[in-house]
Amino acid sequence: MKNSIYVTKTRMPIQEAFFQQCSDFFQSSWVTNNGACVQKLEKSLAEYLDISNIISCNNGTTALMLAIQSAGLAGKKVAVTPYTYVATLSALLWLGCTPVFVDVEPDTLCLSPDLLRRRLIKEPDIAGVLPVHIYGLACDVESLDAICREQGATLIYDGAQAFGSRYKGKSLLAYGDYSICSFHATKIFHTVEGGCVISHTDEVHKALSLARAFGHIGDTHYCLGINGKMSELHAAMGLALLPGTDAEIERRGQLHTAYDAALEGLGLMRPIVREGQKWNNAYYPILMPDERCRDLVERALLAEHIHPRRYFYPSLNILPYLNQKWRTPCPVAENAARRVLCLPMYGDLSEDHVRRATRNVRNVLRYKVQVQEKA
Ligand SMILES: *Cc1c(COP(=O)(O)O)cnc(C)c1O
């Protein structure tokens, strides 16, 4: 609908900027297979993120699968957070991994290091760990790193939402044995569809590049591969959008401040920003006191043509198609998933939109607080 506000709006470059990036492959007709735009994008990303080993991919899910496969985790037990987008888990399942759900910390909604340590000690055959920097917010990377080292498990971060987030002076994507990012149109930086894998040795980097393109060079076949290549069109989109990314992050920061002010004093839970982190402000999640309240707030917003999203619902450990044996309880994640809503967040949003989106949230929650005080 014309007047509707959705949870996100795809960031578009100036048309000329995109066409300018496309001009090379219009001349050369080299539209995929590690073309000039892809090489230029990988180089630009390496500079922007200050990370040397980056390979671009056709999407974040393939990026995850390449990392999991390259780490030798296919078919093995992997500990994973239940509080994430379903693709984190589906990448594991497509590779025949057994997911071991480990609950999240209540204040950050990221994988709990304490629960992870206990689980790894109890089940030493867990070969890998897959935490998520949810909403672009940093996991407890120091603790997770120490535990994985101590227990000999490979650490792969799903940083699909973390582009532009920094922690202790580095890109958040620099942590872990591997990190992946998504460049999907809904993400803060995007290539329409796309993603990348970050690794830390030239050897792994080479293996990932091979696996991304069917595992062979000419007639020599080295390893099992897949088609995970990014096309020139997608890379051109990325090249046109990368320069505006810092401004987008800053603008979202201003909108966060506007939301914070409008929702102050309502007792809403918000996941915390860890000390030492510079957040990319990618999302604006709020946790209502309970699910009924969440439903009321959503209904009130929809009446004003504002479409929030339940990022992320349900907690993945209770997905209906999972093997019954894997469906272990994760009370913190399940509870958060029932109470969460993400409010609209994108650079084009105005302060007026923020006022419109928070008015009804305030009314519903104030009423709730009054009822509680009377009772
Ligand atoms: C978006 C997302 C993915 C999937 O990325 P695609 O590029 O859409 O394949 C994976 N994990 C998380 C946490 C995401 O948010």
Side-chain angles (χ1 to χ4, degrees):
M1 231 180 94
K2 190 165 149 275
N3 232 343
S4 291
I5 303 178
Y6 294 92
V7 72
T8 190
K9 186 177 158 199
T10 298
R11 184 155 69 95
M12 294 302 285
I14 298 168
Q15 247 181 48
E16 291 73 46
F18 174 67
F19 287 138
Q20 197 185 349
Q21 296 296 341
C22 294
S23 59
D24 276 1
F25 63 79
F26 266 91
Q27 299 281 312
S28 67
S29 68
W30 186 340
V31 292
T32 188
N33 288 3
N34 205 25
C37 285
V38 161
Q39 288 182 33
K40 194 167 154 198
L41 179 66
E42 287 179 347
K43 203 162 154 267
S44 307
L45 289 173
E47 273 165 27
Y48 181 86
L49 299 169
D50 196 19
I51 293 172
S52 49
N53 290 327
I54 299 182
I55 67 153
S56 59
C57 298
N58 53 2
N59 60 59
T61 308
T62 319
L64 267 170
M65 291 176 72
L66 282 165
I68 295 162
Q69 156 81 18
S70 152
L73 295 175
K76 299 196 176 156
K77 260 189 179 178
V78 177
V80 62
T81 172
Y83 192 80
T84 176
Y85 182 57
V86 70
T88 311
L89 177 67
S90 32
L92 287 175
L93 299 182
W94 274 104
L95 286 165
C97 298
T98 300
V100 178
F101 292 103
V102 174
D103 210 349
V104 294
E105 300 173 308
D107 54 348
T108 65
L109 305 177
C110 289
L111 189 82
S112 157
D114 290 339
L115 295 176
L116 176 69
R117 175 178 277 113
R118 273 184 252 167
R119 204 62 185 258
L120 288 177
I121 290 169
K122 215 172 97 193
E123 297 175 52
D125 59 336
I126 295 174
V129 179
L130 182 51
V132 178
H133 302 300
I134 202 73
Y135 308 120
L137 286 164
C139 292
D140 182 351
V141 289
E142 281 104 353
S143 302
L144 293 174
D145 190 63
I147 293 161
C148 287
R149 236 166 256 259
E150 174 192 301
Q151 301 297 323
T154 306
L155 180 55
I156 301 176
Y157 283 112
D158 180 341
Q161 305 167 2
F163 193 88
S165 279
R166 299 180 67 78
Y167 182 68
K168 301 211 167 153
K170 285 200 282 189
S171 162
L172 195 48
L173 299 172
Y175 294 87
D177 297 311
Y178 298 80
S179 274
I180 72 95
C181 193
S182 164
F183 304 151
H184 183 256
T186 52
K187 302 322 204 242
I188 198 157
F189 165 74
H190 77 92
T191 60
V192 184
E193 293 275 0
C196 71
V197 189
I198 287 155
S199 56
H200 300 288
T201 68
D202 291 341
E203 201 187 328
V204 175
H205 182 69
K206 241 193 225 155
L208 284 165
S209 310
L210 253 176
R212 172 182 63 174
F214 305 104
H216 73 95
I217 299 174
D219 290 340
T220 316
H221 291 252
Y222 295 92
C223 60
L224 174 66
I226 196 167
N227 183 356
K229 293 172 275 117
M230 182 183 278
S231 84
E232 289 295 278
L233 269 101
H234 294 89
M237 191 69 163
L239 286 166
L241 281 171
L242 189 60
T245 303
D246 284 342
E248 174 72 17
I249 291 172
E250 205 180 305
R251 175 65 190 144
R252 290 192 192 201
Q254 292 166 353
L255 292 166
H256 269 246
T257 309
Y259 268 124
D260 288 349
L263 297 173
E264 209 189 315
L266 294 173
L268 291 171
M269 186 265 176
R270 318 228 30 245
I272 61 157
V273 184
R274 218 174 280 282
E275 199 172 322
Q277 153 142 44
K278 195 179 159 292
W279 190 15
N280 63 3
N281 304 309
Y283 300 85
Y284 197 86
I286 52 175
L287 272 75
M288 260 56 71
D290 55 49
E291 189 170 25
R292 204 183 99 76
C293 192
R294 192 214 68 84
D295 291 343
L296 289 174
V297 168
E298 184 173 40
R299 227 175 295 156
L301 287 169
L302 289 173
E304 293 231 25
H305 308 293
I306 294 162
H307 301 255
R309 281 296 300 269
R310 301 183 84 174
Y311 287 154
F312 292 90
Y313 180 87
S315 184
L316 299 182
N317 58 305
I318 59 170
L319 280 182
Y321 54 80
L322 279 189
N323 188 325
Q324 194 61 34
K325 288 191 304 240
W326 302 340
R327 302 178 70 178
T328 49
C330 294
V332 179
E334 288 168 41
N335 181 278
R338 281 195 294 266
R339 292 158 49 212
V340 75
L341 274 186
C342 275
L343 299 181
M345 179 48 63
Y346 49 87
D348 275 354
L349 208 65
S350 69
E351 268 79 1
D352 239 26
H353 290 141
V354 171
R355 270 190 288 278
R356 203 173 118 199
T358 49
R359 199 167 43 211
N360 279 352
V361 178
R362 272 214 315 275
N363 290 340
V364 171
L365 291 168
R366 276 219 195 100
Y367 177 72
K368 170 105 186 156
V369 171
Q370 277 169 11
V371 170
Q372 271 172 350
E373 277 168 0
K374 273 188 198 150

